[in-house]
Amino acid sequence: MHIIVSLAKWLFTLHQLVWFIAGGLMFFLLTYFYMKLKKDNKINKLNFTFILLSACTFVFTILWTYDSYVENEVRAANMGLLVFGGLAVVFAILGYRFTQKNDEIKVEIKQ
């Protein structure tokens, strides 16, 4: 019983809990976008790659900012928000731009 309690204390201290929640957030984002794109028949390898990069970079931005504020390095937190957050936005825009309906790509053959 002592091992289980020690494990729970280790897992749910504030710092580990934030990383645990961030991992869950990344899993939720990837699952949500995959299911939504699959339902709308808009998924391809290119747009899902950029959505994957965007979700990972977004979660990394949150963790970078949190850890920088915990270490009392405000400049590093702001730099992380600007650089990594901007990169996440760029990846999201590229993922959106490469999203297209598969049935819209039709070639007309004239006989």
Side-chain angles (χ1 to χ4, degrees):
M1 185 68 181
H2 179 69
I3 294 173
I4 295 171
V5 171
S6 297
L7 182 64
K9 284 182 181 179
W10 174 79
L11 180 64
F12 293 113
T13 57
L14 184 61
H15 191 70
Q16 282 83 12
L17 182 62
V18 169
W19 282 82
F20 184 74
I21 290 171
L25 177 67
M26 189 168 60
F27 175 77
F28 171 75
L29 287 173
L30 293 177
T31 305
Y32 172 76
F33 284 119
Y34 178 78
M35 291 175 67
K36 181 161 178 55
L37 290 173
K38 189 79 165 173
K39 184 182 85 168
D40 295 340
N41 198 19
K42 294 181 178 181
I43 193 160
N44 57 32
K45 288 182 183 178
L46 189 61
N47 71 353
F48 190 69
T49 301
F50 280 110
I51 289 171
L52 172 76
L53 286 172
S54 176
C56 292
T57 310
F58 176 70
V59 171
F60 181 76
T61 303
I62 292 172
L63 292 174
W64 177 287
T65 306
Y66 170 74
D67 281 342
S68 295
Y69 278 122
V70 165
E71 294 174 2
N72 200 21
E73 296 185 9
V74 180
R75 283 188 183 174
N78 293 336
M79 185 269 308
L81 279 173
L82 183 66
V83 172
F84 299 122
L87 191 60
V89 169
V90 168
F91 286 149
I93 290 171
L94 286 174
Y96 178 75
R97 296 282 292 168
F98 291 126
T99 301
Q100 58 189 353
K101 284 194 173 189
N102 289 336
D103 56 44
E104 288 181 0
I105 306 171
K106 294 183 181 176
V107 177
E108 293 183 21
I109 301 174
K110 294 184 180 181
Q111 295 179 358

